[in-house]
Amino acid sequence: MPITTILAADLLRQGEVVAFPTETVYGLGADATNASAVAKIFAAKGRPSFNPLICHVAAYDQLADLVRTDSRAEALAKAFWPGALTLVLPRQPGCLVAETVSAGLPNLAIRLPAHPIAHDILARLGRPVAAPSANRSGHVSPTNAQHVRDSLGTAIPVVDGGPCPVGLESTVIGLTGARALLLRPGGIAAEAIEALLGEKLGQPQDARIESPGMLLKHYAPSRPLRLDAVAPQEHDGVGKEGLLSFGPAPAGFAAYYPLSEAGDLAEAAAKLYAGLHALDRADLDGIAVMPIPDHGLGRAILDRLRRAARGR
Ligand code: TXA
Ligand code: MG
């Protein structure tokens, strides 16, 4: 059911869940201060309760009541918000966000999205909105309203804002210790964050605690995925593959979805999930992906593809 931002904010205020576009992917939102509304997100997605959710806000000054900020958080927010960056910070004592949003951790992940529809809903509601990607847990994230309906069914109200311009989830940075950690590569290149902070980002030592979501099967289409493909597979018994191409595409595949003919990583990121959705077809036996460079947004694209290849 397509709805307006006014109705979306009303439904959220009443404790319902609503899907809406952000610049990264579509989110499935609920009032983060309402524990029973938040429970509906976990139920609709089939999401394990140990995997915490990102809290979305309309303005930086909302953070004061929610988390303890520091100079790194301020600098990153100033440089990259609104945008595809999530900051994990210690919860403030008396923080009204439901404990289930943090999955029992003493931290809260916060993002100030740039998409005008997301911003409008958040500003109208005036409360933080917990929102994971609007897909069944473990599946490919939605970058248009039809992907949301295909994954979660037509009963979920969706604000349709067309395709998401970034197309990859936000970069998640952990700021709860002395060293800033890259918890998830995403829509803002890690190199840009390192340049701003003037230090290398650390990797989580214990991902079970630092970023529980990263341990799960994720971003998986239902057909097998083959990475670094430069040609169709030769030997017998290999079925028909569709190719996600990057740069000029080799001949001989059964279907094609160009991520970027010019070899542009931002374009490829924006089209990645639409490509995975498009080639996850009954008449194909697998999806092959051409080599993607391992820097900038390429790092986030490869992170998603490797998880998708492993997680099926
Ligand atoms: O771009 C995005 O980030 C999208 C849009 C809707 O904002 N949201 C999104 O949410 O990708 P989700 O739930 O699919 O992924 C959130 C990630 C998970 O890996 C989760 O484990 C991590 O952020 N996370 C959330 N809260 C955390 C916390 N308190 N500590 C550590 N990691 C956290
Ligand atoms: Mg997700």
Side-chain angles (χ1 to χ4, degrees), residues 25 45 47 51 132-135 138-139 141 169 184 218-219:
V25 300
K45 282 184 58 93
R47 183 175 176 112
N51 191 7
S133 50
N135 53 279
H139 291 239
S141 294
E169 296 84 350
R184 177 178 72 180
H218 249 121
Y219 314 105

Side-chain angles (χ1 to χ4, degrees), residues 160-272:
D160 190 341
C164 301
V166 175
L168 278 182
E169 296 84 350
S170 59
T171 305
V172 181
I173 301 294
L175 293 177
T176 57
R179 179 134 191 233
L181 302 179
L182 178 63
L183 299 181
R184 177 178 72 180
I188 292 187
E191 291 93 327
I193 293 166
E194 290 177 335
L196 188 99
L197 291 177
E199 60 167 321
K200 279 263 173 219
L201 292 166
Q203 296 292 330
Q205 294 295 314
D206 191 343
R208 282 170 308 169
I209 297 166
E210 300 281 9
S211 194
M214 298 311 279
L215 298 172
L216 303 172
K217 151 188 129 106
H218 249 121
Y219 314 105
S222 53
R223 275 159 198 78
L225 201 66
R226 180 166 71 91
L227 304 187
D228 291 321
V230 289
Q233 283 191 326
E234 296 281 316
H235 50 277
D236 292 341
V238 174
K240 287 196 293 180
E241 281 180 327
L243 181 71
L244 280 180
S245 64
F246 184 77
F253 284 88
Y256 288 87
Y257 189 99
L259 291 177
S260 171
E261 279 167 48
D264 177 65
L265 286 170
E267 184 187 6
K271 292 186 180 164
L272 176 68

Side-chain angles (χ1 to χ4, degrees), residues 134-150:
N135 53 279
R136 292 285 303 168
S137 187
H139 291 239
V140 179
S141 294
T143 54
N144 65 40
Q146 189 57 42
H147 295 159
V148 178
R149 291 188 278 269
D150 290 346

Side-chain angles (χ1 to χ4, degrees), residues 121-139:
I121 294 170
L122 291 165
R124 282 176 191 283
L125 183 67
R127 296 178 202 161
V129 169
S133 50
N135 53 279
R136 292 285 303 168
S137 187
H139 291 239

